[in-house]
Amino acid sequence: MTNIQNALLVMAVGISGVFFVLVLFYFIIKALTKLFPEKGSKAEEHGDIPPEVV
Amino acid sequence: MQELLVGFASLNYKVLIMFAVGMILIYLAIKKDYEPMLLLPIGFGAILTNIPLSSVLVADKVKDDAVTNLAKAYPGVKDFFTNNLHYIFDASGNAFRVEPGVLQVLFNSGILTELFPVLIFIAIGAMIDFTPLFKNPIMIFFGAAAQFGIFATLIVAVALGFDLKVASAIGIIGAADGPTAIFVAARFAKEYLAPISVAAYSYMALVPIIQPPVIRLLTTKNERLIRMEYKDAKVSKTVKIVFPITVTIVAGLVAPISVPLVGLLMFGNLIRESGVLERLSNAAQNELANIVTLLLGITIGSTMSADRFLNYKTLLILAMGLVAFVFDTAGGVLFAKFLNLFLKTKINPMIGASGISAFPMSARVVQKMATKEDPTNFILMQSVSANVSGQLGSIIAGGLVLALVPMLLK
């Protein structure tokens, strides 16, 4: 293959590869934020927040 | 008396030009505040290395008769001695064993081994806060789109006659990430390490000048006025701890050659987020970052010798650095506009430009442009999310280039 052909191949695989990996990271972030929610928001979901003292 | 004047006698116009180049870099660092932590040491290193007969690179030369005789009998061994055993040969074929000077020692131990860039990654990792990205994970795609400049510049460099490895190192200027550029250049284009590093750091400092015209050219006023809602989500400490470990494993499996880059960046981040290593985190962000930056800068400057730097290829590389940043910006903005064709809730396309790794400058530039169009439009948090993802995108792009290019050249 010529240099230009190799360069175009690097571009095609490179850009696709970067997108592919960052898509993976996107799903990793989504999964982690679902699996390990912030403590406060977990309590809110389960209605565990004690009633306010008036 | 003659010995005292030998330095003056050895001055020539090329040396004077390099003195001027070094002084210009120092001026830009001090007067214009353009990345002073790197440009000042680089500029001063350039001056040191170009002083005639200076011993910063070569401390001493000792004639070696055995190697001289061997090279005369077998001329083919000259390259081996030159490239691997620090020998030089004069015009008569005499071999001299070179005792490396202080900057050569730093170059051999910090740049050739890629130690300095990876240590800087620990420091950068300790400084990065991925929380904005966790709150707006959709912005991660702009960190990918804005790496377009790397590959576009690679093609331009090949078209201009550079071989694939050197073109890849030139393209990596578009990563807008100094350590990644140095890491790739040290592997693929040692002879062009100086202009590639100078270009990478200079253009990073010039982001506030480079990006706005490109953004304005590619967007309409209505697009720049798009408002984006910011939902402030809470992110747990566990996420912040598990993320760097997971990313290291995943990125390492995809491109094992990128493990020194990604792994040490994430190591630095883990030190920061663990909450139990405050001293190490502070040391990484301060002492480690400062010491390595200081040594890295002056060592890169030491590679700017007149004979290596003053040629048209250096000027081409400096010009292509600008091309890389322009294509990066265009790639991010155009990707956002493409997404808007399918989205009901539109994205402000300026945010695409924040996907480059120049953190936090690019995010600030985009917010400034948004404020100029509409003083009540705040897209800073979305821009910061994209900017942070650019750090990930640039390292992944660097790792993929390091993996792909040797495979194609086999």
Side-chain angles (χ1 to χ4, degrees):
Chain A
M1 279 169 84
T2 64
N3 255 351
I4 281 279
Q5 285 171 328
N6 278 335
L8 287 166
L9 187 60
V10 170
M11 180 186 217
V13 177
I15 277 279
S16 320
V18 175
F19 267 98
F20 171 71
V21 173
L22 291 193
V23 163
L24 273 180
F25 291 169
Y26 170 79
F27 286 116
I28 288 169
I29 292 170
K30 282 296 213 185
L32 288 176
T33 47
K34 271 244 155 48
L35 284 169
F36 306 109
E38 172 70 352
K39 274 188 186 138
S41 43
K42 212 174 192 174
E44 279 168 19
E45 273 175 26
H46 296 146
D48 291 341
I49 301 171
E52 270 185 52
V53 176
V54 177
Chain B
M1 189 65 190
Q2 272 180 327
E3 298 235 343
L4 290 175
L5 296 174
V6 71
F8 288 97
S10 306
L11 280 174
N12 58 51
Y13 76 95
K14 285 187 179 179
V15 165
L16 294 174
I17 291 173
M18 288 314 296
F19 283 170
V21 168
M23 287 179 209
I24 287 169
L25 291 177
I26 293 170
Y27 170 82
L28 290 173
I30 296 174
K31 201 76 179 166
K32 300 286 184 183
D33 202 23
Y34 286 171
E35 289 284 342
M37 285 185 77
L38 262 304
L39 290 195
L40 192 147
I42 290 176
F44 199 75
I47 292 171
L48 286 178
T49 204
N50 282 290
I51 295 173
L53 308 170
S54 138
S55 59
V56 288
L57 289 177
V58 175
D60 198 9
K61 284 190 311 189
V62 176
K63 191 170 174 223
D64 191 324
D65 289 327
V67 175
T68 301
N69 294 336
L70 186 67
K72 283 179 177 167
Y74 305 99
V77 305
K78 263 192 190 177
D79 282 344
F80 173 77
F81 279 95
T82 307
N83 296 335
N84 298 293
L85 296 174
H86 309 297
Y87 275 77
I88 53 175
F89 292 83
D90 67 10
S92 316
N94 294 313
F96 293 86
R97 194 179 73 250
V98 168
E99 295 296 331
V102 61
L103 294 185
Q104 189 65 51
V105 169
L106 286 174
F107 182 83
N108 294 345
S109 51
I111 303 286
L112 289 184
T113 57
E114 294 146 13
L115 179 65
F116 286 164
V118 295
L119 287 178
I120 296 251
F121 269 121
I122 300 177
I124 293 174
M127 292 181 211
I128 293 179
D129 182 3
F130 285 112
T131 310
L133 182 61
F134 298 147
K135 294 182 179 183
N136 283 285
I138 200 82
M139 295 294 141
I140 204 168
F141 298 113
F142 297 112
Q147 307 313 315
F148 173 73
I150 296 171
F151 303 99
T153 307
L154 191 158
I155 291 173
V156 169
V158 165
L160 288 172
F162 289 97
D163 70 54
L164 191 63
K165 277 190 168 180
V166 174
S168 308
I170 294 170
I172 285 292
I173 297 171
D177 180 348
T180 304
I182 293 166
F183 192 87
V184 174
R187 290 240 176 151
F188 285 173
K190 261 192 276 279
E191 66 275 30
Y192 296 116
L193 180 63
I196 287 171
S197 311
V198 170
Y201 282 106
S202 303
Y203 289 123
M204 273 161 56
L206 293 174
V207 154
I209 297 171
I210 297 170
Q211 287 203 305
V214 180
I215 295 171
R216 269 194 290 272
L217 190 69
L218 294 172
T219 55
T220 63
K221 191 173 171 74
N222 285 342
E223 284 174 329
R224 294 195 290 274
L225 286 170
I226 291 173
R227 286 171 172 270
M228 293 180 65
E229 197 193 330
Y230 178 66
K231 290 174 201 164
D232 193 14
K234 290 195 171 92
V235 179
S236 71
K237 187 175 167 180
T238 312
V239 170
K240 294 182 194 181
I241 291 171
V242 175
F243 181 72
I245 301 169
T246 319
V247 159
T248 304
I249 294 171
V250 168
L253 291 172
V254 169
I257 203 164
S258 70
V259 170
L261 299 173
V262 175
L264 290 175
L265 183 85
M266 292 300 148
F267 171 60
N269 193 246
L270 183 60
I271 290 172
R272 173 200 169 95
E273 298 297 352
S274 68
V276 295
L277 293 173
E278 201 182 326
R279 276 176 55 185
L280 292 190
S281 174
N282 289 338
Q285 293 181 54
N286 296 291
E287 288 79 35
L288 181 68
N290 294 338
I291 290 171
V292 180
T293 301
L294 191 154
L295 295 176
L296 178 69
I298 202 161
T299 308
I300 290 172
S302 76
T303 66
M304 289 171 66
S305 57
D307 53 345
R308 269 197 259 177
F309 199 80
L310 292 179
N311 55 66
Y312 89 97
K313 285 197 170 177
T314 301
L315 289 174
L316 268 183
I317 290 169
L318 294 174
M320 279 190 283
L322 180 61
V323 165
F325 273 69
V326 167
F327 275 126
D328 276 344
T329 307
V333 170
L334 292 174
F335 182 70
K337 288 175 66 126
F338 171 74
L339 287 181
N340 277 347
L341 295 172
F342 309 102
L343 295 173
K344 267 192 184 167
T345 314
K346 305 292 178 195
I347 296 171
N348 190 316
M350 293 198 290
I351 280 168
S354 301
I356 71 171
S357 183
F359 182 86
M361 245 172 316
S362 192
R364 278 196 219 137
V365 163
V366 165
Q367 175 56 54
K368 206 171 164 184
M369 288 186 73
T371 311
K372 205 174 171 186
E373 301 287 350
D374 175 1
T376 63
N377 191 3
F378 295 106
I379 53 172
L380 181 65
M381 293 317 293
Q382 292 88 343
S383 303
V384 166
S385 305
N387 214 184
V388 164
S389 81
Q391 307 248 275
L392 291 174
S394 65
I395 297 172
I396 299 298
L400 285 170
V401 163
L402 285 170
L404 282 167
V405 169
M407 266 168 39
L408 287 172
L409 293 176
K410 265 191 196 159

